[in-house]
Amino acid sequence: STDGGRNLSLESIPMGLPMSDPSAWATAMNNLGMAPMGMTGQPLLPDFDPALGMMTGIPPINPMMPGLGIVPPPIPPDMPAVKEIIHCKSCTLFPPNPHLPPPATRERPPGCKTVFVGGLPENGTEQIIMEVFEQCGEVIAIRKSKKNFCHIRFAEEFMVDKALYLSGYRIRLGSSTDKKDTGRLHVDFAQARDDLYEWECKQRMLAREERHRRRLAEERFRPPSPPPVVHYSDHECSVVAEKLKDDTKFSEAIQTLLTWIERGEVNRRTANNFYSMIQSANSHIRRLVNEKAAHEKEMEEAKEKFKLALSGILVQFEQIVAVYHSASKQKAWDHFTKAQRKNISVWCKQAEEIRNIHNDELMGIRREEEMEMSDEEIEDPSEMKETEESALVSQVEALKEENDSLRWQLDAYRNEVELLKQEQGKASRDEDTTKEQQMKLLQQALQGMQKHLLKVQEEYKKREAELEKVKEDKLKVETLLENLKEQESSTSRVCACSQEKECPVEKSLSNSPVKSEREVLLVGIISTFLHVHPFGASIEYICSYLQRLDSKICTAEVEVLMTRLQNTFRQELSGVGASLEKRWKFCGFDGLKMT
């Protein structure tokens, strides 16, 4: 028959699936975007196209990804999925009406592998249920009830999504139309303790792995523990004393010395050793101060370089802005298109904003430098010399005190060496070794002290030479000051004589402010010139205008004439500091009222 030709037996299917019509099942899985897979993981259709699942609005799902539990989104109502008839060996599944809404499902429990199947035929058996649902994946257990429902547990979570696709299908056993042989399937998620337990175990395993990875990361970034400090002994003391003299090993040795002192290793026997080590540590202070000064100098040089670079950048910005402004003039502006003009104007605004920002930054740096300058830095050279001389005197006194203390320490060490020599014959052989070590340490300390004394004496001689130079400089400055005072007194006498000579001239000028017709003409020309310039003009600007008319006119003559006529011309000061400027204005209208 035709049905016999279409149906496939169990032996003819390579995956061992009880399917009578694999094309119908493949079409149903294709509507979900899933490749229909057999029990062995091989595809039922070798030419399956997962992109066909996008026709139903459902993204394609890979069923071979266990544990993801991806639930396909609901099918939009305007694009219903086309479900077809599925023929099995013992039954037939008819699709629901596509215009009806999709069947409702409960919230998916975590790690769900079990489904509830309701609406089974009364005559349905576990074999028929297995025949229908084992096409979705490996079935672990079926628990059937007498009231036409059952629970099916699958091996993986993604198989549950395949089983939910059959919800709403009508099932018919064979070709019978009896009510007991028909039913409407309702497939929904089921909550099972085994699924929840397996999911919790999996979550705990993932948490353990995450904790292990976090612990490894923390151990990787944890800093190593510091090395342990050795216990005090005479040998270790000599090693640390040598390290303290070396600049490269100073930090390690000073930490060891600090630990020993905090442990309480200092006693009457070891006090001298510890004092010598502390003295060696103190000798590094000058080195550290010099290093700090060198770093500060480098920082100042870097600041200067930054300021020079910033000023160079500002110059280039000014040039670019000047290019934009020259391009914006009508001579060149008319030749550009509208788009080009727009771009040029936008670029000009951006360049001006950036230039203003950099200019404010440079001005801020200069303001900070001006604020840092104090009154102490702007003192007279004589006061600076006095401060330097006092500083040198204090340093010389400190060096003298240090020299005296070193001499006293040398005497103390010599006395201790003599006492040790006297006690050496009385002590036993066991004590001889310790005394010899102490002798060596004392001899080393003596040699260090002698070297230090020589250095101090050399520094003392240098400071004395510097003091003599400072005194000579002070005498020179005093002589210079006396010469300056004599020059000031002579200049004041000359000024007094000149003022006495000018007094009768001014009196005569006050009687007749304008002497000749030439001066009258000059007054008229200057008045008309300043009338055109209501904000005033400098004397150089006025003289440059007059010299075009007469090259013999000089600045002093014009200035004397204008100062004579106080009711006609008025001098005003404008600007601040270096930009201070003297301007002359015409005030004849106001002077007319006053006279």
Side-chain angles (χ1 to χ4, degrees):
S1 65
T2 57
D3 292 339
R6 288 171 60 192
N7 293 343
L8 295 173
S9 63
L10 287 169
E11 290 81 2
S12 63
I13 300 173
M15 281 69 68
L17 293 177
M19 289 178 63
S20 58
D21 189 0
S23 62
W25 182 257
T27 305
M29 292 295 102
N30 192 13
N31 288 332
L32 273 177
M34 305 178 186
M37 308 297 289
M39 295 296 291
T40 59
Q42 298 174 353
L44 288 175
L45 298 177
D47 55 346
F48 171 72
D49 185 11
L52 294 174
M54 299 302 290
M55 298 295 292
T56 61
I58 302 172
I61 301 171
N62 185 6
M64 297 307 292
M65 297 171 67
L68 290 180
I70 300 174
V71 181
I75 301 170
D78 56 346
M79 190 181 289
V82 180
K83 296 184 177 182
E84 297 183 0
I85 300 172
I86 300 174
H87 296 280
C88 298
K89 187 177 180 181
S90 304
C91 62
T92 307
L93 299 175
F94 297 93
N97 188 355
H99 299 291
L100 292 175
T105 57
R106 62 181 292 179
E107 187 180 355
R108 182 174 189 141
C112 180
K113 297 181 184 178
T114 306
V115 294
F116 165 81
V117 183
L120 293 170
E122 292 184 13
N123 295 333
T125 61
E126 288 188 9
Q127 185 178 0
I128 293 171
I129 297 168
M130 178 71 77
E131 181 182 345
V132 173
F133 284 95
E134 74 176 349
Q135 300 176 62
C136 301
E138 182 183 355
V139 177
I140 293 176
I142 298 176
R143 294 191 297 276
K144 189 176 181 302
S145 175
K146 296 178 181 179
K147 295 184 179 181
N148 302 333
F149 71 87
C150 70
H151 289 85
I152 303 173
R153 190 163 191 261
F154 291 99
E156 300 293 341
E157 292 183 30
F158 69 90
M159 300 173 184
V160 174
D161 301 321
K162 290 185 178 182
L164 286 175
Y165 179 75
L166 300 176
S167 183
Y169 270 81
R170 287 178 290 110
I171 184 170
R172 187 178 71 186
L173 303 180
S175 58
S176 174
T177 58
D178 191 5
K179 190 175 182 181
K180 294 184 178 180
D181 293 334
T182 60
R184 187 182 182 85
L185 296 179
H186 174 69
V187 185
D188 198 356
F189 299 110
Q191 191 166 5
R193 284 178 293 181
D194 295 340
D195 297 344
L196 184 62
Y197 175 73
E198 288 181 5
W199 182 79
E200 288 176 349
C201 290
K202 189 175 180 181
Q203 294 298 317
R204 283 195 291 270
M205 182 183 69
L206 292 173
R208 282 196 298 272
E209 290 178 357
E210 180 64 25
R211 285 197 300 272
H212 181 65
R213 282 196 296 271
R214 196 179 296 120
R215 195 180 299 114
L216 288 177
E218 289 175 357
E219 288 177 357
R220 194 182 300 116
F221 292 108
R222 184 181 296 135
S225 58
V229 179
V230 296
H231 291 282
Y232 176 82
S233 65
D234 293 334
H235 173 69
E236 294 295 336
C237 179
S238 61
V239 171
V240 170
E242 290 297 326
K243 286 182 178 179
L244 283 171
K245 296 174 184 177
D246 191 358
D247 295 344
T248 58
K249 300 177 182 178
F250 174 73
S251 58
E252 178 187 355
I254 198 70
Q255 188 63 35
T256 305
L257 177 60
L258 176 63
T259 308
W260 284 349
I261 294 172
E262 289 177 350
R263 284 180 184 174
E265 300 288 348
V266 182
N267 51 35
R268 186 172 293 177
R269 188 177 65 85
T270 61
N272 293 327
N273 297 337
F274 275 100
Y275 181 79
S276 62
M277 287 189 287
I278 292 167
Q279 195 171 15
S280 299
N282 184 50
S283 63
H284 285 270
I285 291 174
R286 187 173 297 170
R287 174 181 65 83
L288 296 174
V289 170
N290 293 334
E291 288 181 1
K292 183 192 172 188
H295 288 306
E296 286 178 350
K297 186 177 179 183
E298 289 177 0
M299 188 175 70
E300 292 296 329
E301 291 175 354
K303 279 185 180 178
E304 290 295 327
K305 286 181 181 178
F306 173 71
K307 196 163 66 174
L308 290 173
L310 193 60
S311 60
I313 290 167
L314 276 173
V315 170
Q316 294 178 11
F317 268 119
E318 291 289 347
Q319 293 171 351
I320 293 168
V321 172
V323 169
Y324 289 143
H325 285 309
S326 62
S328 301
K329 291 180 180 178
Q330 193 170 4
K331 189 186 292 182
W333 190 254
D334 294 340
H335 298 286
F336 294 117
T337 62
K338 190 178 287 184
Q340 290 172 346
R341 292 175 186 174
K342 187 177 180 181
N343 288 337
I344 290 170
S345 60
V346 170
W347 294 339
C348 184
K349 287 180 182 177
Q350 291 177 353
E352 285 179 349
E353 289 175 0
I354 297 170
R355 180 200 62 186
N356 293 335
I357 290 168
H358 286 289
N359 197 6
D360 293 341
E361 187 177 356
L362 184 62
M363 293 300 293
I365 293 170
R366 287 177 178 171
R367 276 193 225 100
E368 288 178 359
E369 289 179 353
E370 288 176 0
M371 289 172 67
E372 285 175 0
M373 291 178 65
S374 61
D375 296 335
E376 295 176 358
E377 296 175 355
I378 314 171
E379 289 180 347
D380 295 334
S382 59
E383 294 178 359
M384 292 291 289
K385 294 287 183 180
E386 288 175 3
T387 54
E388 289 178 2
E389 184 181 356
S390 61
L392 287 170
V393 170
S394 62
Q395 288 178 2
V396 168
E397 290 175 357
L399 287 171
K400 282 181 180 179
E401 291 177 0
E402 190 176 359
N403 193 4
D404 295 335
S405 64
L406 288 172
R407 285 177 182 172
W408 297 335
Q409 289 174 13
L410 271 174
D411 295 335
Y413 280 126
R414 285 170 183 165
N415 293 330
E416 288 179 2
V417 169
E418 289 175 1
L419 290 171
L420 285 170
K421 285 179 180 179
Q422 292 175 3
E423 292 175 0
Q424 190 175 6
K426 301 176 182 178
S428 61
R429 293 179 181 177
D430 296 333
E431 294 176 355
D432 289 344
T433 55
T434 58
K435 287 184 178 179
E436 286 175 1
Q437 290 176 357
Q438 288 180 356
M439 286 284 292
K440 288 178 182 178
L441 288 172
L442 288 170
Q443 288 174 358
Q444 291 175 0
L446 280 169
Q447 291 174 359
M449 296 294 286
Q450 288 174 354
K451 290 178 182 178
H452 193 61
L453 262 174
L454 293 172
K455 289 180 181 178
V456 169
Q457 289 175 354
E458 289 175 359
E459 287 181 1
Y460 181 73
K461 291 177 182 177
K462 289 179 182 177
R463 294 300 166 86
E464 283 182 347
E466 289 177 359
L467 263 176
E468 290 176 358
K469 288 181 181 179
V470 167
K471 288 178 181 178
E472 290 175 1
D473 293 336
K474 187 177 179 182
L475 290 171
K476 290 179 182 179
V477 169
E478 287 175 356
T479 54
L480 284 171
L481 284 171
E482 288 175 0
N483 293 332
L484 286 170
K485 287 177 181 179
E486 289 175 1
Q487 289 177 2
E488 285 177 0
S489 61
S490 62
T491 52
S492 62
R493 290 171 187 170
V494 172
C495 290
C497 294
S498 63
Q499 286 176 2
E500 289 175 359
K501 290 178 182 178
E502 287 174 2
C503 284
V505 176
E506 288 179 356
K507 288 177 183 178
S508 62
L509 287 173
S510 62
N511 294 330
S512 57
V514 180
K515 294 181 179 180
S516 61
E517 188 177 356
R518 172 185 170 82
E519 290 184 354
V520 171
L521 289 171
L522 283 174
V523 169
I525 294 167
I526 293 168
S527 301
T528 53
F529 180 79
L530 291 177
H531 189 66
V532 176
H533 296 79
F535 297 106
S538 62
I539 190 69
E540 290 82 6
Y541 187 25
I542 296 167
C543 289
S544 66
Y545 175 71
L546 293 173
Q547 283 172 359
R548 292 180 186 176
L549 303 174
D550 187 4
S551 59
K552 296 178 181 179
I553 295 171
C554 62
T555 308
E557 180 185 357
V558 176
E559 191 170 7
V560 168
L561 179 61
M562 292 176 75
T563 50
R564 231 185 291 156
L565 301 171
Q566 295 180 357
N567 294 327
T568 308
F569 304 109
R570 184 175 68 251
Q571 188 180 21
E572 291 183 356
L573 297 176
S574 62
V576 179
S579 62
L580 192 67
E581 186 179 6
K582 295 179 180 179
R583 288 178 175 271
W584 288 91
K585 288 187 177 181
F586 179 72
C587 61
F589 298 113
D590 298 333
L592 186 63
K593 296 175 184 178
M594 293 172 66
T595 56

